[in-house]
Amino acid sequence: MIVTIERLGHLGDAIGQGVFVSGALPGETVEGEVHEGRIAAPRILTPSPDRVRPPCPHARSCGGCLLQHASDGFVERWKQEVVRSALAGQGLDAPFRPMAVSPPATRRRAVLSGRRTKGGALVGFHARQSGTIIPIPECKLLHPDLMQTIPALETLVRAAGSRSGELSLTVTRSLGGPDVAVTGGKALDAPLRAELARIAEERSLARLTWEGETIALRVPPAQAFGAARVVPPAGAFLQATAEGEAALLAAVRDAIGEARTVTDLFAGVGTFALPLAAAAEVHAVEGDASMTAALDRGWRQAQGLKRVTVETRDLFRRPLEPDELRRAEAVVIDPPRAGAEAQCAALARARVPVIAFVSCNPVTFARDAALLVRAGYRLDWVQVVDQFRWSAHVELAARLSLPD
Ligand SMILES: C[S@@+](CC[C@H](N)C(=O)[O-])C[C@H]1O[C@@H](n2cnc3c(N)ncnc32)[C@H](O)[C@@H]1O
């Protein structure tokens, strides 16, 4: 079948004449066999001017990156359009700041898959639309420190993986070295625990956790947030790249300006709260008690920060109410993909002057921003922050304020 591509869907797949096409771009004419509504291996008849040679040799097979065949300019326009159309769906529009994109080889946290093989172990990403694991020795996405961890991960898989099941290996770059959290492996017993601890020592892992149990803690796997150092719970949320985190923090700082009392909602382990505490008193609210405890410890051990208070609270069920937001000159809000509808309804009533909104889901962001705009807020600007380079994932920061 010959298909002309009309658009990219939200997952980055090209779509034309009702058919999904892997690895194609809008405006291209492609030919290929349709199987279950998809052309998986298209022949590109007329290439788009936005088509580039994928920088990574694994790009064709690996499911880790889906947009390596598109120019940076195309990806920026497309990601901004995803946000713009989500806003338009709610009757909103806003000025867009230029996109901030993380450079290649900066991903500091990744979830890899591992499986035992006849000859040893296989560690990598899944292939496209498949459970097959693809080894990624030339990966252009991961930070070199994560790439260097792969042989240690292979050793762990050899020791505790099976040929039928798959291990999930979350590896995070930390100040103390690799922080590794594994699930899906063999059940722990005393000999396996000892073997895993030996591997952690031999391979200089900062921390190794197995199904949530700490097997080895050689060096605290700390993260720096401004003047503070925080040791997050294993597997806890962390922005995907240091560059992405810096761009989001710069946008948040810009949004809140001179505010001296800030409430940070969905605060995680203090990515925003702790750097902002250099200039403002911060109340940080987060649903996971182990994360608020880590944030609090980080603040107590840091020098020269203003007061940071923490609160563990489910903000879906019990959003902060207007009387609890009275002191806040600005709010930072960074919810999970589901957004923060209940909390935004309470913010609309509280009339906090400025809101810095960080979101990883343009659709729920647009829904929540519309709620605030209907209550009198202005959507001052939006900035796409692309820390998931070459993927269809869209992340953004925005400023909402009440007119004087
Ligand atoms: C996108 S992360 C942002 C974390 C932090 N702002 C950062 O940049 O590292 C969202 C955070 O919301 C927390 N969270 C998820 N559901 C929640 C809920 N119902 N109430 C409070 N916090 C929640 C998660 O634990 C996570 O830390």
Side-chain angles (χ1 to χ4, degrees):
M1 180 177 181
I2 294 183
V3 173
T4 299
I5 306 301
E6 293 144 20
R7 62 189 176 89
L8 291 196
H10 281 192
L11 298 177
D13 269 320
I15 303 171
Q17 290 150 247
V19 174
F20 287 101
V21 182
S22 303
L25 292 173
E28 291 187 327
T29 304
V30 306
E31 185 178 27
E33 219 173 282
V34 184
H35 184 62
E36 292 179 353
R38 168 178 297 277
I39 300 179
R43 203 155 61 81
I44 311 294
L45 302 178
T46 44
S48 158
D50 287 312
R51 176 168 287 279
V52 297
R53 192 187 166 82
C56 175
H58 312 305
R60 261 185 169 278
S61 50
C62 177
C65 294
L66 293 180
L67 290 171
Q68 287 215 353
H69 57 289
S71 68
D72 288 354
F74 172 87
V75 174
E76 173 164 2
R77 288 193 303 280
W78 180 70
K79 291 200 172 184
Q80 291 199 340
E81 196 43 45
V82 168
V83 180
R84 217 183 287 280
S85 71
L87 289 174
Q90 297 286 346
L92 300 180
D93 193 10
F96 274 65
R97 294 180 153 197
M99 184 169 93
V101 57
S102 297
T106 56
R107 183 74 72 82
R108 63 173 169 187
R109 182 155 200 270
V111 183
L112 295 159
S113 299
R115 184 189 289 279
R116 272 195 73 148
T117 61
K118 221 174 179 178
L122 192 60
V123 169
F125 286 127
H126 281 149
R128 292 194 180 175
Q129 270 132 35
S130 138
T132 311
I133 298 172
I134 302 283
I136 48 160
E138 306 287 331
C139 177
K140 301 286 181 268
L141 195 63
L142 301 189
H143 190 284
D145 289 355
L146 292 201
M147 293 302 289
Q148 278 176 19
T149 311
I150 290 177
L153 302 182
E154 288 168 349
T155 311
L156 289 172
V157 173
R158 266 195 298 275
S162 73
R163 280 169 69 186
S164 51
E166 206 176 278
L167 276 80
S168 170
L169 305 131
T170 302
V171 51
T172 306
R173 181 173 186 249
S174 83
L175 294 172
D179 184 9
V180 178
V182 184
T183 57
K186 281 189 202 160
L188 281 172
D189 56 17
L192 183 57
R193 251 192 211 97
E195 173 62 359
L196 294 172
R198 190 195 62 71
I199 295 169
E201 185 64 37
E202 179 189 281
R203 299 294 186 150
S204 303
L205 304 183
R207 172 170 62 182
L208 174 62
T209 58
W210 207 263
E211 304 289 354
E213 182 181 326
T214 304
I215 300 293
L217 180 57
R218 292 181 51 259
V219 189
Q223 301 291 336
F225 299 121
R229 301 286 176 271
V230 174
V231 177
F237 180 89
L238 190 69
Q239 299 293 346
T241 68
E243 291 77 2
E245 180 181 297
L248 290 172
L249 178 60
V252 164
R253 279 206 167 105
D254 243 23
I256 68 168
E258 301 293 303
R260 290 292 168 259
T261 47
V262 176
T263 297
D264 181 9
L265 301 170
F266 303 93
V269 291
T271 304
F272 303 127
L274 291 164
L276 294 180
E281 278 191 20
V282 183
H283 183 54
V285 188
E286 157 63 43
D288 182 321
S290 61
M291 291 172 89
T292 42
L295 196 169
D296 187 52
R297 263 194 307 277
W299 174 68
R300 285 176 193 287
Q301 288 165 6
Q303 302 281 314
L305 295 183
K306 298 208 184 301
R307 195 168 141 79
V308 174
T309 48
V310 298
E311 183 178 351
T312 305
R313 179 155 164 171
D314 183 337
L315 292 169
F316 291 170
R317 287 158 184 260
R318 253 180 11 103
L320 252 63
E321 294 297 335
D323 61 318
E324 298 170 286
L325 290 159
R326 248 190 347 256
R327 283 194 64 232
E329 292 176 10
V331 157
V332 178
I333 184 164
D334 180 12
R337 289 189 65 74
E341 203 168 16
Q343 183 59 75
C344 285
L347 284 174
R349 284 183 273 116
R351 306 195 69 72
V352 176
V354 181
I355 299 171
F357 207 130
V358 176
S359 168
C360 56
N361 184 343
V363 173
T364 56
F365 163 70
R367 178 200 66 198
D368 296 348
L371 204 153
L372 291 161
V373 168
R374 281 197 298 275
Y377 281 84
R378 197 175 46 204
L379 181 54
D380 296 313
W381 48 257
V382 175
Q383 182 179 24
V384 175
V385 174
D386 192 10
Q387 52 177 343
F388 292 92
R389 196 188 176 95
W390 297 317
S391 87
H393 191 96
V394 179
E395 187 118 18
L396 63 90
R399 180 179 199 266
L400 291 121
S401 66
L402 283 174
D404 297 328

